Each structure stands twice: as structure tokens, then as C-alpha cells.
Amino acid sequence: METPIRPGSLHHEEARKTLASILNLLQKDRALGERALSLFAAFYGLPLEALRAHLLAPPPRSERAREAFQRPYLAHFAQTLPRYPYATDDPQAGVRVYKRENALKRVHVQVGHYPHAVLRLVVDVDLPWPQAEERLRALPPSLVLVNPRSGHFHAWYELDPIPLKPPPGREESLKGALALLAEVEALLEAYYGADPSYNGLLSRNPFLHPSEWTWGGGKRWSLRDLHRELRGLLPSGRRKRLDPGLASYGRNRTLFDRLRAEAYAQVALFRGHPGGREAFRAWVEQRAHALNQALFRDHPKGPLSPREVHHTAKSVAKWTYDRYQGGRVYAVSSTGRPDRSRLSPQARALIPPLQGQGLQEAVREGGKRRGSRRRKEAEERLVEALKRLQARGERITATALAREAGVHRNTAAKWLKRMRQ
């Protein structure tokens, strides 16, 4: 009686590759395939009939499910990857841009923050997967990549695509989509207790990850369905304590809102001048990168990538220059006039928008008023600081005054010089 072949006995990689080639050959040329199978059995000292039964047996249920659901999803992931995504073999050594086919040969590949659309949300869960098994079942991910050494995992949630370049006339809808996206991401991180510093840019390459530690059937979620499920799974008190601004896509929303407000205020200074469009776009790009560093220097996920900032700036500049017709006349500080974009149509009609030279003069006058107010406040603080130093019997110097009043040393030095004169 021949000994049966156990599924784990043919573990050698070369043997498995050879068996796969023989199976293909059996489907194309039965006689030639049988001859190759006989030679294989003789070479490895295996019973021919048991080997044939093992090779031609139907695949296990898990493998059939992988063929039916997971592999089509991974093929979809490869097709929707940008032409030049970020990728790396070691995130600690930095990332770089590769062509798509070369990026798929790297251990880590870009899975989020694409410039054209949001396709998925990914969270990094620093818990052994058995501790999160119930949460995984209650909210099935599209894909789970488990680290075999630690049991920690990345959970992917594939979404109906959210375009970041909406068609003309629908640009304002992007604001609402980013707000909902940031809220869903914050809820998802809270649901899993995920790593708050993970920014969702890179994940392990599923094509190179061990197949036994790659789970999921490629379920696709709509953003609103995922939002509704998460609200049902998280207690209301916990939801109220969440800050969507700390989510990865919360940064995109914050940058978009701040940048468009400044662009609305400045676009009138560029229109009607030679090269105004290019100059305005360059100005918006510069402000976008400056805001990215200023707003997110201390953010748990760090600043946005330069490419994300570039595409946000490009979109804001194009729409504002071509389509914005509002009368907002200031960016951060006031020119002394109301913000027409927040008024009713009747009230807006009573306040004509400033244009050209009038806008420049209003901004200049507003700057003078702000400077005068700041100087007055600084002088008041310096007078109080002088009194405190005199009461303590300390030496009056510019450095001591600056420290006591909380102003710059140069400001204190100029004020002290005027006082002594």
C-alpha cells in the first residue's frame, strides 16, 4: 500500500515550483505531463499515484477564497497605484519615487495620500491580532497584513474613490468630503486604538508579504457606510472626545481651508497684470509649503508630503484665479472692512469689493493699524515690567526688561533708549 502525500511534505521551494510547472503541462499535454510527473516522483522517491492524487486534488477552501476574492482585489490595487508612487525597502532609510512596476518590487509601497483621489484608509494596530479579532469581525477590512514576528497588523479599508480633483462647479464639495474623511479616519483609529503617529502613506507590499499572513476578501466600503458603522460601534462619549484635526486627512482639510482663505484675499492683486496667473500660482505654492511647516511641525503625523502640498496648491490656485468672484479683502488680519463672503446677498450689495490699488491701500492701512496696536500693547507691558524690576531693586537693562515683559530684546532696547532720552 502506497504512503499518501501529506500537504506539508513538499515544502522545498524548488519542488513546489516544479510541481506548478508540471500541473500546467498536464493541462496542455497530458502524456508529456504524466512523463514529467513520473520523473519527478522517481527523483524525490515519492509514490506516483499518491503524488498524482495530491497534485490533482481540489485546492483547500482558503485557497479557493483567495483566488476568488483576494487576488482580484490585489490586481485592482496594482492597477490603481499611481504611475510614480513612493516606495522603499526600509522606511528608516527614507523613501523615494519609483515607476509603478519597480515600486511593486519594494517591501513597502504607497497605499494612501495619492494626489488624484482617496482610495483607502489604512491604520497601524500595535496589538497582537488575537486581541483585535472581535473588532476585525465586526468591521471587516478589505485586507489585513499581519507582522509574523509581533502579530501587529495593518488594516486596509478600500473606499469608493473620492476624487481630489472634482469636476468644474463641484470644487466646494471637496471641503465636505475631506471633513467627513478626517472624521472617519479619527473614528477608525479610536476603534482599533491604532498608532496615532502612523500617517497612512506606506504599508507593506501585499505581493511580497507572506500569503499565510495576508487576510481579507477585498470588501469595498462607501465612506458614509463606514462612518455609520463606526458611529454604531463607538460609544457617544468617546466619539465626542475625538479631534478629526489629528487624523492624517485632517491635515489636508486644515491646509486646504487656510490656503484658500489666503488665496481669496490676494487673488485681486494678481489679476489683470502680465504673467499674473503664473505669479499667483507661484505665490500660492510658496504659501502652501510655508503653512505646511508652520501648521504641522508638531502634529503627531508630521507635515504633509511635498507632493500633496504641491497638488493642493495647484488646485486652489487654479480654481481661485479662474472662478472666485467673492470680495474677501484680507487673509489673516482685517483691512477694517467686513468680509463680504460671509454676508447675506442684500448686505453684500451695499459693500462693493475692493480691487487693485484700493485693495492694496486698504491692506497697507490695516497693517499700520495692527502695528500701532502691537506697539501700544508692548509699551504697556514694558512699563509694568519696569515697575516690577524697580520694586525688586534689580538693574534695569534691555535683557531684563525683555524677559520680564515677554517681548523681543530689540523692542525692549529701543523703548528703553527712548525713555532715557
Side-chain angles (χ1 to χ4, degrees):
M1 182 176 181
E2 293 183 329
T3 305
I5 302 294
R6 289 179 286 109
S9 60
L10 295 173
H11 61 276
H12 193 274
E13 187 64 27
E14 289 299 325
R16 291 173 62 183
K17 289 181 180 178
T18 306
L19 275 177
S21 301
I22 292 174
L23 182 59
N24 289 332
L25 190 59
L26 281 168
Q27 295 171 350
K28 296 177 181 178
D29 189 329
R30 183 76 182 190
L32 191 57
E34 287 286 348
R35 177 62 179 160
L37 189 62
S38 300
L39 292 173
F40 181 88
F43 181 80
Y44 282 95
L46 298 172
L48 179 60
E49 290 302 321
L51 181 61
R52 183 184 290 111
H54 169 75
L55 188 62
L56 300 178
R61 184 176 179 180
S62 60
E63 185 60 31
R64 293 201 301 273
R66 191 186 302 276
E67 288 285 347
F69 301 108
Q70 190 182 109
R71 293 188 180 174
Y73 170 66
L74 293 182
H76 166 77
F77 165 71
Q79 290 170 359
T80 55
L81 199 65
R83 291 175 58 193
Y84 295 96
Y86 289 113
T88 182
D89 286 326
D90 180 11
Q92 299 298 325
V95 300
R96 54 168 288 193
V97 174
Y98 290 88
K99 290 183 68 174
R100 180 190 297 159
E101 54 269 25
N102 294 329
L104 289 172
K105 299 174 184 177
R106 304 294 166 180
V107 177
H108 300 269
V109 68
Q110 184 178 1
V111 294
H113 297 278
Y114 298 156
H116 63 289
V118 179
L119 301 182
R120 66 189 62 85
L121 290 173
V122 181
V123 290
D124 179 19
V125 185
D126 292 335
L127 287 174
W129 68 265
Q131 296 183 25
E133 194 169 7
E134 290 186 7
R135 278 172 274 185
L136 288 167
R137 281 202 298 266
L139 194 73
S142 308
L143 198 71
V144 178
L145 299 174
V146 181
N147 186 328
R149 290 174 293 184
S150 64
H152 302 171
F153 61 91
H154 280 187
W156 297 17
Y157 284 85
E158 192 77 12
L159 303 173
D160 293 335
I162 303 170
L164 297 178
K165 298 178 181 178
R170 298 291 306 277
E171 290 85 352
E172 286 296 316
S173 66
L174 180 59
K175 181 182 177 182
L178 286 177
L180 182 59
L181 186 65
E183 183 179 349
V184 168
E185 187 177 15
L187 289 168
L188 195 60
E189 290 182 353
Y191 176 68
Y192 280 109
D195 181 359
S197 64
Y198 175 68
N199 61 17
L201 180 69
L202 297 176
S203 183
R204 285 187 170 270
N205 185 347
F207 294 99
L208 302 182
H209 199 66
S211 59
E212 62 271 22
W213 294 104
T214 305
W215 308 335
K219 175 180 173 66
R220 179 181 290 185
W221 292 82
S222 77
L223 189 61
R224 295 199 176 276
D225 286 346
L226 187 56
H227 180 251
R228 184 169 55 250
E229 291 290 330
L230 283 165
R231 287 182 62 85
L233 291 168
L234 281 169
S236 60
R238 194 173 176 191
R239 294 200 308 268
K240 291 176 182 176
R241 292 194 298 270
L242 294 178
D243 181 4
L246 296 178
S248 182
Y249 280 102
R251 300 171 301 165
N252 298 70
R253 180 193 174 191
T254 301
L255 178 64
F256 177 77
D257 284 343
R258 284 290 299 271
L259 186 61
R260 72 192 183 102
E262 296 199 13
Y264 296 166
Q266 301 295 329
V267 65
L269 300 177
F270 293 87
R271 284 184 177 142
H273 298 285
R277 178 187 294 274
E278 292 72 21
F280 179 66
R281 180 172 173 177
W283 180 86
V284 172
E285 177 95 13
Q286 182 272 330
R287 284 300 300 150
H289 287 284
L291 284 171
N292 184 42
Q293 295 300 320
L295 294 172
F296 309 126
R297 183 183 296 110
D298 300 322
H299 196 283
K301 301 181 191 300
L304 290 163
S305 69
R307 286 207 298 176
E308 285 183 275
V309 177
H310 166 74
H311 285 284
T312 300
K314 181 179 177 182
S315 174
V316 168
K318 184 176 186 302
W319 187 90
T320 304
Y321 196 90
D322 291 341
R323 302 175 67 87
Y324 181 69
Q325 298 298 325
R328 182 170 294 186
V329 295
Y330 61 92
V332 177
S333 52
S334 175
T335 60
R337 293 166 56 91
D339 178 1
R340 296 176 72 255
S341 65
R342 297 184 182 275
L343 298 177
S344 67
Q346 294 79 10
R348 190 181 305 134
L350 301 175
I351 306 175
L354 292 175
Q355 300 289 339
Q357 186 64 29
L359 176 57
Q360 294 183 42
E361 291 176 358
V363 171
R364 192 178 304 114
E365 288 300 319
K368 290 179 180 178
R369 285 193 297 273
R370 292 192 308 275
S372 176
R373 184 175 63 251
R374 285 198 300 268
R375 282 193 298 273
K376 184 178 179 181
E377 292 172 354
E379 288 176 358
E380 290 174 354
R381 291 201 300 270
L382 285 165
V383 169
E384 294 300 321
L386 178 62
K387 292 177 180 179
R388 289 194 296 270
L389 289 174
Q390 288 174 336
R392 295 199 298 262
E394 296 183 18
R395 185 185 175 197
I396 308 301
T397 65
T399 301
L401 273 172
R403 182 175 61 249
E404 186 72 20
V407 299
H408 195 277
R409 186 188 178 283
N410 292 348
T411 303
K414 291 177 182 177
W415 180 82
L416 186 60
K417 183 178 179 180
R418 289 199 306 271
M419 290 292 291
R420 285 173 173 167
Q421 289 174 348

